[in-house]
């Protein structure tokens, strides 16, 4: 073994293979850090686009008194585009590793802004009972407050019930936005009643999971 005198420390150290004549130093492997996710990516762009669509949707919904056939089709189309981006941006973020703190914050805000604006708008136009709007909006606000309350103790991820709730809400709103009557209007209200049930059930489930986190029990996995 080749050794060398460490004049600074005053003790013998092993020079190792790199100190022997004719041997090249062997570089030490270093763990590569994952590249930072850029804030400007396709998932975040779609989320911001959905937020920007909300005021345009409201303008189209209330144009010419709110019951103009052409403008109602336009409003329904804008709502449909925004709802589709909700599914696409989440899938892109997970598939290509584009999850950012901005996206985590902006995505649920965009969803609630779109759904809430549509519900309030339909109720103001007397196309949807106010009690339905109040129940759904109150649930969303309550869940948001619960999230803030338990955020330091854990996160309850969205589950199938929450995703189904959002899907049924979106389809029901889209049908009610269409300037159609008869069976279509009845189908829209039927879907909305189903959405209300899912909204209440998933809301109660979220309360249970949040309570388990708060009192130290293992976190849940079924909420939205």
């Amino acid at each position: 073994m080749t050794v060398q005198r460490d004049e600074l420390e005053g003790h013998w150290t092993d020079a190792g293979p790199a100190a022997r004549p004719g041997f090249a130093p062997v570089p030490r492997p270093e763990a590569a850090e994952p590249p930072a996710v850029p804030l400007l990516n396709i998932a975040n762009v779609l989320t911001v686009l959905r937020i920007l669509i909300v005021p345009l949707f409201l303008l189209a919904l209330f144009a010419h008194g709110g019951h103009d056939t052409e403008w109602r089709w336009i409003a329904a189309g804008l709502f449909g585009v925004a709802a589709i981006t909700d599914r696409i941006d989440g899938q892109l973020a997970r598939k290509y590793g584009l999850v950012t703190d901005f996206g985590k914050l902006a995505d649920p805000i965009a969803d609630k802004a779109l759904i809430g604006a549509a519900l309030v708008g339909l109720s103001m136009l007397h196309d949807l009972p106010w009690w339905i709007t109040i129940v759904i909006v109150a649930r969303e606000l309550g869940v948001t407050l619960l999230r803030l309350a338990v955020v330091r103790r854990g996160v309850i991820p969205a589950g199938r019930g929450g995703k189904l709730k959002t899907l049924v809400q979106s389809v029901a709103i889209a049908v009610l936005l269409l300037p159609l009557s008869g069976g279509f209007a009845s189908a829209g209200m039927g879907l909305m009643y189903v959405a209300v049930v899912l909204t209440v059930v998933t809301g109660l489930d979220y309360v249970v999971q949040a309570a388990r986190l708060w009192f130290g029990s293992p976190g849940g996995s079924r909420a939205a």
Side-chain angles (χ1 to χ4, degrees), residues 79 115 118-119 122 168-178 192:
F79 181 86
I115 296 295
L119 292 172
L122 288 171
V168 175
Q169 284 180 356
S170 299
V171 174
I173 290 172
V175 174
L176 291 175
L177 287 171
L178 295 174
M192 187 58 72

Side-chain angles (χ1 to χ4, degrees), residues 35 76 133 150 157 160 217:
T133 295
V150 302
R160 293 181 179 180
S217 299

Side-chain angles (χ1 to χ4, degrees), residues 119 123 128-138 176 189 192-193 195-196 199:
L119 292 172
S123 293
L128 182 69
W130 272 106
W131 71 266
I132 292 180
T133 295
I134 293 173
V135 168
I136 295 178
V137 171
L176 291 175
M189 284 305 305
M192 187 58 72
Y193 290 135
V196 170
T199 297

